[in-house]
Amino acid sequence: MAEYILARENGRVIPKEDKNFGISNRAKAAIREYGKDAVVNSTIGTLNDDSGDLIVLESVHKVFQTLGPKDYAEYAPIGGTPAFKEAAKKAAFKNNVPEGFIEVVATPGGTGSLRNAISNYTIYGDKVLTTDWHWAPYKTIASEIGRKIEVFELFNAERKFNIDAFKASVNDILAQQESIVVILNTPAHNPTGYSLTPTDWDNVIAALTESAQTGKAIALVVDVAYMDFAGDEDEYRQFIPKLSTLPENVLPIIAYSGSKTFTLYGTRCGAMICIAKTQAIADEFKRVCEFSSRGSWSNNAKVGQVILEKIFDDEELLASVSKERAYYRDMLLARGRAFSEEAAKVGLEIVPFDAGFFVSVPCDNPEEVAAKLEKENVFLVPLAKGLRISVASIPEAACRKLPAMIKAAL
Ligand code: PLP
C-alpha cells in the first residue's frame, strides 16, 4: 500500500512509478549504451517505423502546417465544433452508419470518452465490466472516479470469445446495482489483438437484449481505438449497424479516438458517439457528458478538431490520408503475421490474435520472464496474465526473431 504525506488516497492504489514508464526508461538507457540495433524496445504503444521513430502521417502533418492562429488558439465549444462532430461521425462509421439518434461529444482522446461514460452511466462505488485481458488505464480511470473494474474471461477453453462468462458477469453485476457500463475493446484489442467476430457480436447483442429485460440501464462502450489498424476499414465496422438493434435501455457508445487513426496522439482528439433509440436518450447523453467535460477538462483542444474538419471537407485529402494509413496498416499487419507465424513454428502459445498493435503471450510468471528478456536487451511489458509485445513499435525482422527468444526465456 502506497504511503501518502499530504495527499489523500481516496480508495485508489497509486504506484510510486508507472510500470510502463520504468521499462521504457530502461529500454532507452539500453539503446544509449548498446545502440538501436542491439535492443528490441517492444513496449511502445505508438506505430513506429523500422528505426523506432514515431510515424506521423505526412498528409495529416501537411494539414497541420496550413493552420492559422485561430485554428489552435481559440476555445472550442464544450461538446466540440459542429463540423468536427460531423467529421467524427464519418470517421467512426464510414459506410456503416447505424440507425438511431446519434449524438457526439468531443473528448480528449478515447480516454475522455471512457471517463465520461463511466462517470455518467454508473454511480459511485459501482462495478464496471471489461475483459480479463485489458488496457490497464481502465482501472485507473474507474478508480479515479470511485468505480471498480470487474472482469470476465475473454476466452473460453476453445480459445473463442467467452460469451457464457460475459453473460454471467453482466447478470451478476446487474443483480447488485441499478446500471452497468460494459467496455469492449475491439477490433484489434489491446493487449491481445483479438477482434470480436460477427458471431461474437450477435451473441453479445442477444445477451444484452436478454439482460435488458431487467429494465436496468446498460451502457455498452465500444473502445475502437485500434479500429483502423485491423484490416479493411469497412469490414471491421460491420458490427456498428448491429448496435441499432439493441433495446432502448441499452445505450451503445463508441469511444472514438483520433490518436492512432490520424496519428494525432498528442492533440488529444476523440469523441464519444451514442447510438440511442430515442431523441430523449440522445439529448440526455449530450447534456450529461458535456457537463462532465466541463467539470474535468472543460473544452477540448481545438487543433485536432480543425484538422479532422479539414480532412473530411476535402475528398481528395481524405483519400490521400486513407491511402497513407493503408500503407502503414499493411506494414503493421505484416509484422503481426510475422510474429504469429514464427510463434507457431517454435511452438510458442499466443493469446488468440487477429490484428493490431499488440500480441500477448500467456504465462504464469510474466515479471520473471520479462526480467530475463531484459538481460538480452528485449523490452516488453509484463501483464497480470502474460507478456505484451508491441509489434507496432518494432521492425518485421524483430517480430520474426522474438518468438524463439520468448520461448527460450519461458
Ligand atoms: N483504448 C485503448 C485500448 C488504448 O490502448 C488507448 C490508447 O493507447 C485508448 C483507448 C485511448 O487513447 P487516446 O486517449 O489517446 O485516444
Side-chain angles (χ1 to χ4, degrees):
M1 184 68 72
E3 283 171 24
Y4 293 86
I5 305 164
L6 301 181
R8 300 290 180 166
E9 187 180 358
N10 290 329
R12 302 163 301 171
V13 179
I14 306 178
K16 287 247 159 67
E17 180 194 54
D18 181 83
K19 194 174 66 180
N20 287 12
F21 200 61
I23 306 168
S24 154
N25 279 344
R26 291 199 295 280
K28 281 181 198 152
I31 290 171
R32 277 197 299 275
E33 194 171 344
Y34 306 106
K36 257 184 186 176
D37 294 341
V39 177
V40 179
N41 184 5
S42 184
T43 62
I44 307 168
T46 55
L47 186 58
N48 290 6
D49 64 19
D50 285 352
S51 312
D53 293 321
L54 180 76
I55 290 167
V56 181
L57 297 181
E58 188 54 32
S59 48
V60 175
H61 180 57
K62 278 194 186 139
V63 180
F64 207 107
Q65 289 174 315
T66 67
L67 300 184
K70 277 195 179 169
D71 290 330
Y72 56 81
E74 202 175 41
Y75 281 132
I78 301 286
T81 67
F84 168 70
K85 291 184 183 195
E86 288 311 306
K89 279 191 249 178
K90 287 182 191 156
F93 300 149
K94 290 190 82 98
N95 292 316
N96 287 276
V97 181
E99 277 175 27
F101 295 84
I102 313 294
E103 205 37 90
V104 182
V105 175
T107 53
T111 304
S113 313
L114 293 156
R115 188 241 171 253
N116 275 1
I118 294 173
S119 150
N120 286 296
Y121 293 93
T122 57
I123 61 166
Y124 191 81
D126 270 358
K127 291 173 179 165
V128 171
L129 184 66
T130 193
T131 48
D132 52 353
W133 293 90
H134 63 260
W135 188 46
Y138 288 165
K139 203 169 165 189
T140 312
I141 297 165
S143 78
E144 179 62 18
I145 49 176
R147 275 71 159 177
K148 295 181 281 280
I149 290 289
E150 180 109 335
V151 299
F152 69 94
E153 282 191 350
L154 174 52
F155 301 108
N156 62 20
E158 285 80 49
R159 294 167 57 84
K160 297 271 190 287
F161 181 78
N162 198 338
I163 187 65
D164 294 334
F166 174 77
K167 256 193 236 179
S169 295
V170 169
N171 292 336
D172 183 41
I173 294 175
L174 275 181
Q176 303 164 41
Q177 55 193 55
E178 288 313 304
S179 64
I180 186 173
V181 166
V182 179
I183 305 170
L184 293 178
N185 173 209
T186 184
H189 172 251
N190 174 6
T192 67
Y194 186 72
S195 303
L196 263 70
T197 64
T199 310
D200 293 338
W201 269 115
D202 291 341
N203 292 338
V204 163
I205 287 168
L208 292 181
T209 302
E210 203 179 312
S211 303
Q213 284 173 10
T214 54
K216 295 188 174 180
I218 302 175
L220 170 62
V221 180
V222 192
D223 177 356
V224 297
Y226 299 91
M227 182 160 65
D228 288 318
F229 286 94
D232 181 85
E233 293 178 8
D234 268 309
E235 192 185 319
Y236 275 95
R237 280 168 169 78
Q238 281 174 3
F239 71 93
I240 295 174
K242 289 177 192 260
L243 300 173
S244 303
T245 62
L246 283 160
E248 190 173 322
N249 54 332
V250 182
L251 182 64
I253 299 170
I254 305 288
Y256 183 74
S257 167
S259 299
K260 284 90 189 167
T261 295
F262 296 98
T263 61
L264 284 173
Y265 310 89
T267 66
R268 311 309 300 133
C269 178
M272 52 197 311
I273 307 175
C274 81
I275 305 163
K277 265 271 164 4
T278 69
Q279 185 68 57
I281 292 170
D283 290 346
E284 177 189 68
F285 168 86
K286 180 173 180 292
R287 182 169 58 89
V288 298
C289 293
E290 286 189 357
F291 184 87
S292 285
S293 296
R294 188 56 165 153
S296 37
W297 47 78
S298 186
N299 47 52
N300 289 269
K302 196 177 174 205
V303 63
Q305 299 184 47
V306 176
I307 293 174
L308 255 69
E309 286 174 15
K310 288 185 184 289
I311 292 172
F312 282 87
D313 190 39
D314 178 342
E315 268 179 36
E316 230 172 87
L317 175 59
L318 176 61
S320 69
V321 172
S322 301
K323 191 169 163 204
E324 204 185 344
R325 186 191 309 114
Y327 172 81
Y328 288 115
R329 179 171 55 237
D330 287 347
M331 179 193 79
L332 176 71
L333 294 175
R335 290 177 184 174
R337 266 196 309 274
F339 190 99
S340 42
E341 275 167 22
E342 292 303 319
K345 269 190 215 160
V346 301
L348 174 74
E349 185 194 347
I350 64 172
V351 180
F353 169 80
D354 175 45
F357 279 38
F358 308 103
V359 179
S360 288
V361 171
C363 68
D364 292 332
N365 44 358
E367 302 277 346
E368 219 177 292
V369 182
K372 223 181 204 179
L373 286 162
E374 276 196 24
K375 292 203 181 105
E376 298 178 62
N377 280 332
V378 170
F379 295 83
L380 35 72
V381 179
L383 307 169
K385 300 186 82 175
L387 305 164
R388 187 189 82 170
I389 298 98
S390 161
V391 293
S393 65
I394 58 173
E396 190 177 329
C399 293
R400 292 229 170 259
K401 192 171 86 173
L402 268 189
M405 294 179 82
I406 298 172
K407 175 86 180 167
L410 283 169

